[in-house]
Amino acid sequence: MSQQTSHLSKNHLAMFGGPKAVTQPPPEWPFFDDSDRAALNAVLESHVWGGYHSSVAELEKRFAEFHEAKHGIALANGTVSLEIALASCGIGPGDEVIVPPITFVASATSIARVGATPVFVDIDPQTINLNPDLVEQNISDRTRAIVAVHFAGHPVDLDRLVEICRQRNLVLIEDCAHAHGAQWHDQRVGSFGSFGSFSFQASKNMTAGEGGILITSDDDLAERARSISNQGRRTGGAWYEHQTLGTNARLTGFQASLLLNQLDRLPEQLQLRTDRANQLREGLSRVEGLTPTPATLDERVTMHGNHLFSIRYDRSAWNEVSRDQVVAALQAEGVPATSGYPHPIYRNQLFNEHPTVVHQCSEAEAYCQSSIWLPHNALLADEKWIDDIVSAIQKVQDAAGTVIAAS
Ligand SMILES: *Cc1c(COP(=O)(O)O)cnc(C)c1O
């Protein structure tokens, strides 16, 4: 039986020893300068190394204000923040929570960790976010909440999800780990749901290495989340008085002081990433078979978080060369491309051992087969570097011309 397989031709490609198309690396992340050294030193010398340094309360106030919410609760990371958000809303055993399959695993494990059942519903193939029609169709008698993710920094359809939650009396929790500063209709994400949950882990667009925060405008939810994160203490209560089942999920002053500087830089970086993302979109419009998600920008998204630049690869425009081979060729050329999530998260072993509902997710499966990502720090480069990336992509596509017969 004879079969046609496709390969990249060896002409000039860096993966076969040719010259690299992109000679400079993208800007290093995280970025820091002397103001960060000074901020860390101030905490060091204060002798208040734990979660009660004044920078923690200042971060909570300023981050919440920036994201148009009344309260901020700084936390150890963006995973416990989701668990605490769910627990504060009273979600637990017997409850179902709808969640998308294209996200980091914590969006769903947090649901299982509070004893509830993750219910996976397919994505919209353009935004890669939850498809609101399918959310609506798959609400059951046990559905209590939706954990909606703003994948790559693109807000989910909040017009629809807010309305569905209002009509069906569901809790909306926004997982904003990709979406610091993103806006839907000029309103910052995280402020639409009962809680907005953010991560400050090293790869995110605001980071202290580790860290997280919840925002909410509900006084009672804020007090509950704060209490759970601080050993069940209550505001104004005695040190050894513990009213609820809590844990220790506090953020330190070292982290908060770094994050205050990161918050100062965020608006400028959001704009820079937007400009570079637009330049890249323009460049890719001249390359067949590589389409950003979504293909056309949604006017309701007045600020994209740009945590990832997400592209779909169509091998038919690349002479059937595999996505993974193209990613390897791009990496060799100096393009920091990756193939993204290997599979929808429900395919992880752990979900065989916990109650889970998986509705048909063919769009999520197709996305993982075709995705190519660029990281957010690539969008902090200068214009020339973005032009070089586009040239490198064109160089690799030119090499996709040769078809080799194999048996
Ligand atoms: C990173 C991430 C998290 C978890 O945040 P950590 O701070 O790493 O615990 C949750 N959800 C999404 C979508 C993420 O990307």
Coordinates of all heavy atoms in Angstrom, one line a residue, residues 77-79 82 103-104 106-107 149 175 177-178 199-201 204 211, ligand 1:
N77 N -2.8 31.7 45.1 CA -2.7 31.4 43.7 C -4.1 31.4 43.0 O -5.1 31.7 43.7 CB -2.1 30.0 43.5 CG -2.8 28.9 44.2 OD1 -3.9 28.6 43.9 ND2 -2.1 28.3 45.2
G78 N -4.2 31.2 41.8 CA -5.4 31.3 41.0 C -6.2 30.0 40.9 O -7.1 29.8 40.2
T79 N -5.7 29.0 41.7 CA -6.4 27.7 41.9 C -7.3 27.7 43.1 O -8.5 27.5 43.1 CB -5.5 26.5 41.9 OG1 -4.7 26.5 40.6 CG2 -6.2 25.2 42.0
L82 N -10.3 29.9 42.9 CA -11.5 29.3 42.3 C -12.2 28.4 43.3 O -13.5 28.5 43.5 CB -11.2 28.5 41.1 CG -10.8 29.3 39.8 CD1 -10.1 28.4 38.8 CD2 -11.9 30.0 39.2
T103 N -9.0 25.0 28.6 CA -8.6 25.9 29.7 C -7.5 25.1 30.4 O -7.3 23.9 30.1 CB -9.8 26.3 30.6 OG1 -9.3 27.1 31.7 CG2 -10.5 25.0 31.2
F104 N -6.9 25.8 31.4 CA -6.0 25.0 32.3 C -6.9 24.2 33.3 O -8.0 24.5 33.6 CB -5.2 26.0 33.1 CG -4.1 25.4 34.0 CD1 -3.1 24.6 33.4 CD2 -4.2 25.5 35.3 CE1 -2.2 24.0 34.2 CE2 -3.3 24.8 36.2 CZ -2.3 24.1 35.6
A106 N -7.1 23.6 36.3 CA -7.6 24.1 37.6 C -9.0 24.7 37.5 O -9.8 24.7 38.5 CB -6.7 25.2 38.1
S107 N -9.4 25.1 36.3 CA -10.8 25.6 36.1 C -11.8 24.5 36.5 O -12.9 24.8 37.0 CB -11.1 26.0 34.7 OG -10.1 27.0 34.2
V149 N -14.4 30.8 31.4 CA -13.0 31.2 31.2 C -12.9 32.2 30.1 O -13.6 32.0 29.0 CB -12.2 30.0 30.9 CG1 -10.7 30.3 30.7 CG2 -12.3 28.9 32.0
D175 N -13.3 32.9 35.5 CA -11.9 32.6 35.6 C -11.1 33.5 34.6 O -11.1 33.3 33.4 CB -11.7 31.1 35.2 CG -10.2 30.7 35.4 OD1 -9.4 31.6 35.6 OD2 -9.9 29.5 35.4
A177 N -7.9 34.2 34.6 CA -6.4 33.9 34.7 C -5.7 34.4 33.4 O -4.5 34.7 33.5 CB -6.1 32.5 35.0
H178 N -6.4 34.5 32.3 CA -5.8 34.9 31.0 C -6.2 36.4 30.7 O -5.8 36.8 29.6 CB -6.3 34.1 29.9 CG -5.9 32.6 29.9 ND1 -6.2 31.8 28.9 CD2 -5.2 31.9 30.8 CE1 -5.7 30.6 29.2 NE2 -5.1 30.6 30.4
S199 N -5.1 34.8 38.4 CA -3.9 34.2 38.8 C -2.7 35.1 38.6 O -2.7 35.9 37.6 CB -3.7 32.9 38.0 OG -2.3 32.5 38.1
F200 N -1.7 35.1 39.5 CA -0.5 35.8 39.3 C 0.7 34.9 39.2 O 1.8 35.2 39.6 CB -0.3 36.8 40.5 CG -1.4 37.8 40.7 CD1 -1.9 38.0 41.9 CD2 -1.8 38.6 39.6 CE1 -2.9 38.9 42.1 CE2 -2.8 39.5 39.8 CZ -3.4 39.7 41.0
Q201 N 0.4 33.7 38.7 CA 1.5 32.7 38.4 C 2.5 33.2 37.4 O 2.1 34.1 36.6 CB 0.8 31.3 38.0 CG 1.7 30.2 37.8 CD 2.1 30.0 36.3 OE1 1.5 30.7 35.5 NE2 3.1 29.2 36.0
K204 N 1.6 34.4 33.8 CA 0.4 35.2 33.5 C 0.9 36.7 33.2 O 2.0 37.0 33.5 CB -0.5 35.2 34.7 CG -0.9 33.7 35.1 CD -1.7 33.0 34.1 CE -1.5 31.5 34.2 NZ -2.6 30.7 34.6
G211 N 0.6 33.5 43.0 CA -0.4 34.5 43.6 C -1.7 34.4 42.9 O -1.8 33.9 41.9
Ligands
LIG1 C1 -3.1 29.5 35.4 C2 -4.5 29.3 35.4 C3 -5.2 28.9 36.6 C4 -4.5 28.6 37.9 O1 -3.7 29.6 38.4 P1 -2.5 29.2 39.4 O2 -2.2 30.6 40.0 O3 -1.4 28.7 38.5 O4 -3.0 28.3 40.4 C5 -6.6 28.8 36.6 N1 -7.2 29.0 35.4 C6 -6.6 29.2 34.2 C7 -7.4 29.4 33.0 C8 -5.2 29.4 34.2 O5 -4.6 29.6 33.0

